[in-house]
Amino acid sequence: MTTFSAPAKIILFGEHAVVYGHPAIAVPFSALRASAEVHKNNPPGQGLLIVAGDLQKTIRVEDAGNVLAEMSRLILKQLGASPPDVPISLRSTIPVASGLGSGAAIASVLGRVLSAVVNHPLSDDALNQIVYEIEKLHHGTPSGIDNTVVVYEQPIYFVRDQAIQRLKIGQSFQLVAADTGKSAPTRISVGDVRKLYEANPAKIQPVLNSIGQIVEQARQIIEYGNPDALGPLMLQNHLLLSELTVSSPELDALVDAAMNAGALGAKLSGGGRGGNMIALVAADTAEYVGQALLAAGAARIYHTTVTA
Ligand code: PMV
């Protein structure tokens, strides 16, 4: 049987403001992936098991309080199916709780494999809806950007509650992503921005509007194929995210290190407070920027190209 897989994702611009109806831009990060398949050579009669290879753990679909079991139950409910008698093998190279969309990718592959096993084909649109429901369980009030970019595996210009808009990449560009090594639940940073907004909308609304304007400019630059011009916009977006209190000393230190090493721009990516940042690099500085990020305390770095 087929192996189903889904990519990680990187938000390039617009996180947090996207929750308030502003646009955001995200791309799949295809080198990091979650995958699921029916586990071979297992005797029947054990019910639905999730064999989580990376955790070296086998989970029963009935297990209370387990996130993978909970995801599987929700998917089966949406499919209108009872648990099949198969073991599912699940793997992922996407770090968890670090703004790379690990939860959405895992939910997506579980959805695809379970729909195949119970013989209930799912369109991408239907799967996207299911993964969004699962994101709600873990993120509180997600905008839907993570599930959308992960399920369709396409660069997207995303506005909450609107039809998905694929983004044309006019010219390829290179990024280095760096992980602070601190996991930070998106639910908390999103909740804190909400409190900030409610306490002082007159101050926060303009910050969100400015982020929205940056996204519009970035979209044109990306489509037009002039990616070097994204650098200053990334820095502006990072400063606005700091005003929303979602940066952290670690993220700021990595942004500074990338810029000092010759990156064209840098910003936090995703929920913030920890997790990942991204730096835009020219081909001849990519390696040096990566080394500088490690020297500045990054737990891991990833090189990736957003391809035209
Ligand atoms: O899952 P993360 O950490 O990449 O964050 C998603 C982006 C937010 O805008 C912070 C939240 C959302 O639901 O859009």
Side-chain angles (χ1 to χ4, degrees), residues 56-114:
Q56 298 189 345
K57 223 172 154 181
T58 297
I59 296 134
R60 303 188 161 276
V61 71
E62 307 81 30
D63 287 354
N66 179 281
V67 42
L68 297 173
E70 198 180 8
M71 278 184 188
S72 306
R73 290 196 297 268
L74 204 140
I75 292 163
L76 289 167
K77 192 170 155 209
Q78 303 272 343
L79 292 170
S82 42
D85 182 19
V86 289
I88 303 285
S89 165
L90 185 68
R91 293 195 166 272
S92 175
T93 54
I94 311 171
V96 295
S98 59
L100 291 175
S102 147
I106 286 172
S108 171
V109 295
L110 273 178
R112 289 201 198 274
V113 74
L114 287 171

Side-chain angles (χ1 to χ4, degrees), residues 199-271:
N200 196 346
K203 182 169 168 227
I204 299 304
Q205 191 63 60
V207 178
L208 300 173
N209 293 346
S210 299
I211 293 177
Q213 283 160 12
I214 287 174
V215 176
E216 296 298 355
Q217 291 173 49
R219 177 192 195 170
Q220 288 182 13
I221 289 171
I222 291 171
E223 293 191 329
Y224 185 70
N226 180 23
D228 289 4
L230 293 174
L233 293 180
M234 290 171 80
L235 287 172
Q236 286 171 34
N237 196 164
H238 183 76
L239 289 177
L240 292 163
L241 287 163
S242 301
E243 285 185 45
L244 296 179
T245 75
V246 296
S247 191
S248 69
E250 293 84 0
L251 285 164
D252 289 345
L254 293 180
V255 167
D256 287 347
M259 294 312 294
N260 290 335
L264 298 162
K267 65 182 275 295
L268 72 86
S269 176

Side-chain angles (χ1 to χ4, degrees), residues 9 11 14-19 98-101 139 141-146 186 189-190 269-272:
K9 68 101 216 312
I11 298 184
E15 52 274 90
H16 285 289
V18 69
V19 174
S98 59
L100 291 175
H139 281 215
T141 54
S143 63
I145 189 168
D146 280 18
T186 301
S189 62
V190 169
S269 176

Side-chain angles (χ1 to χ4, degrees), residues 97-307:
S98 59
L100 291 175
S102 147
I106 286 172
S108 171
V109 295
L110 273 178
R112 289 201 198 274
V113 74
L114 287 171
S115 84
V117 170
V118 304
N119 213 1
H120 184 308
L122 272 183
S123 64
D124 281 353
D125 289 350
L127 179 65
N128 192 30
Q129 204 50 47
I130 292 177
V131 178
Y132 181 57
E133 291 304 316
I134 293 173
E135 289 277 289
K136 279 194 208 163
L137 290 178
H138 304 291
H139 281 215
T141 54
S143 63
I145 189 168
D146 280 18
N147 46 284
T148 305
V149 67
V150 162
V151 167
Y152 295 91
E153 200 166 351
Q154 298 274 348
I156 55 168
Y157 168 90
F158 178 86
V159 181
R160 189 171 191 161
D161 299 328
Q162 287 188 13
I164 100 156
Q165 298 184 54
R166 293 192 166 83
L167 186 70
K168 180 181 136 248
I169 309 292
Q171 187 187 314
S172 301
F173 53 94
Q174 247 175 284
L175 299 172
V176 185
D179 193 340
T180 57
K182 267 181 73 177
S183 63
T186 301
R187 177 194 277 274
I188 294 180
S189 62
V190 169
D192 286 353
V193 173
R194 174 67 63 189
K195 282 185 211 144
L196 206 64
Y197 177 80
E198 280 167 4
N200 196 346
K203 182 169 168 227
I204 299 304
Q205 191 63 60
V207 178
L208 300 173
N209 293 346
S210 299
I211 293 177
Q213 283 160 12
I214 287 174
V215 176
E216 296 298 355
Q217 291 173 49
R219 177 192 195 170
Q220 288 182 13
I221 289 171
I222 291 171
E223 293 191 329
Y224 185 70
N226 180 23
D228 289 4
L230 293 174
L233 293 180
M234 290 171 80
L235 287 172
Q236 286 171 34
N237 196 164
H238 183 76
L239 289 177
L240 292 163
L241 287 163
S242 301
E243 285 185 45
L244 296 179
T245 75
V246 296
S247 191
S248 69
E250 293 84 0
L251 285 164
D252 289 345
L254 293 180
V255 167
D256 287 347
M259 294 312 294
N260 290 335
L264 298 162
K267 65 182 275 295
L268 72 86
S269 176
R273 297 267 170 86
N276 277 272
M277 56 76 69
I278 51 172
L280 177 70
V281 289
D284 56 352
T285 51
E287 212 45 56
Y288 187 64
V289 171
Q291 292 307 320
L293 287 165
L294 286 169
R300 280 173 292 270
I301 58 160
Y302 312 92
H303 288 272
T304 183
T305 300
V306 180
T307 36

